[in-house]
Amino acid sequence: RGSPGEKVEVKITRIDGRAKAIEKTITVIRQTIQQVEVEASTYASNSGKKIGLIKVPSFTTETEKQLVEALRTISSDGNVDSVVFDLRGNVGGYMPAGVNSAKLFLPARAHIIAEVDGAMKVKPYDADSVGADLSLPIFILVDKKTASAAEIFTAALQDNRRAIVVGKSNTYGKGKIQNVQSLSNGSGVAVTRARYITPSGRDLNGVGITPNTSPDKCDSTDSAQTCLADII
């Protein structure tokens, strides 16, 4: 920890099967981390419907609050017919944010995700109250980079039949909870302590989420409107 602008020397030791470790020192400068905020807008679909578009770049401690504000924004000049969450390129982030964001759109006691450890001990995460919106049709755009907390959010809404997932490929498939254990030679090993299981019992690790529908044109550079042109 320190102040922005301070120089910090970081020593990197690389042990790569060589007889002697290679050490390198680099200098970095502390900077304030700017969290990318949720973006909200609306557009008219080809069928004339008003669509709310919410782009979520990552899941942070502020995401749940930002989603509530985004819902207000897209409805500020009249109700929308559907809402689209664009999670393409969202590699996850803060796991509880994925859970809490899903709660906004699910009824009380809806199952969101479960952590299952090696002894098959289950830690469930369920909606503890009625969500802010339970009726608005939801579409979630994903791609092969959509991962971790973004997959928790997506799978919870898909498995509870609260959202239609749209994309050209499965999501990344990050479904493990790992800790790094240090070894005596200075290296480390990632140890899996648990895995995530979706409400329908799916283990997403290495597999990802399969979209409900796969449009012909929906690359990362395509607009949400292009992806959903024949769907909404």
Side-chain angles (χ1 to χ4, degrees), residues 77-90:
D77 59 349
N79 292 332
V80 294
D81 296 297
S82 301
V83 62
V84 176
F85 291 100
D86 192 345
L87 302 186
R88 290 175 295 171
N90 184 325

Side-chain angles (χ1 to χ4, degrees), residues 2 9 22 57 80 82 95 99 110 118 132 154 157 172 185 188 205 214 224 232:
E9 288 191 349
I22 297 176
V80 294
S82 301
M95 177 269 185
V99 172
T154 301
L157 270 61
Y172 182 82
N185 64 357
N205 195 66
S214 299
I232 301 180

Side-chain angles (χ1 to χ4, degrees), residues 70-219:
L71 290 172
R72 293 195 187 104
T73 298
I74 63 175
S75 301
S76 60
D77 59 349
N79 292 332
V80 294
D81 296 297
S82 301
V83 62
V84 176
F85 291 100
D86 192 345
L87 302 186
R88 290 175 295 171
N90 184 325
V91 297
Y94 185 53
M95 177 269 185
V99 172
N100 293 334
S101 296
K103 290 180 181 180
L104 294 173
F105 307 98
L106 294 172
R109 295 183 294 280
H111 185 44
I112 295 173
I113 201 73
E115 290 182 11
V116 181
D117 65 17
M120 299 305 292
K121 182 178 180 181
V122 179
K123 180 180 179 181
Y125 293 86
D126 299 329
D128 45 22
S129 61
V130 177
D133 191 302
L134 303 181
S135 59
L136 192 64
I138 295 174
F139 297 84
I140 303 176
L141 291 177
V142 300
D143 63 10
K144 61 184 178 182
K145 293 183 179 179
T146 305
S148 191
E151 289 179 296
I152 290 174
F153 175 85
T154 301
L157 270 61
Q158 185 186 52
D159 282 7
N160 282 285
R161 299 187 177 184
R162 185 65 188 87
I164 294 174
V165 180
V166 180
K168 289 187 68 175
S169 66
N170 281 18
T171 59
Y172 182 82
K174 174 67 171 67
K176 289 181 179 179
I177 307 169
Q178 296 178 314
N179 293 334
V180 177
Q181 301 291 333
S182 298
L183 301 179
S184 58
N185 64 357
S187 62
V189 60
V191 178
T192 300
R193 66 174 180 84
R195 54 198 172 95
Y196 292 125
I197 301 297
T198 75
S200 65
R202 292 181 291 169
D203 184 344
L204 301 178
N205 195 66
V207 179
I209 298 167
T210 301
N212 296 103
T213 183
S214 299
D216 293 332
K217 191 169 180 57
C218 191
D219 293 323

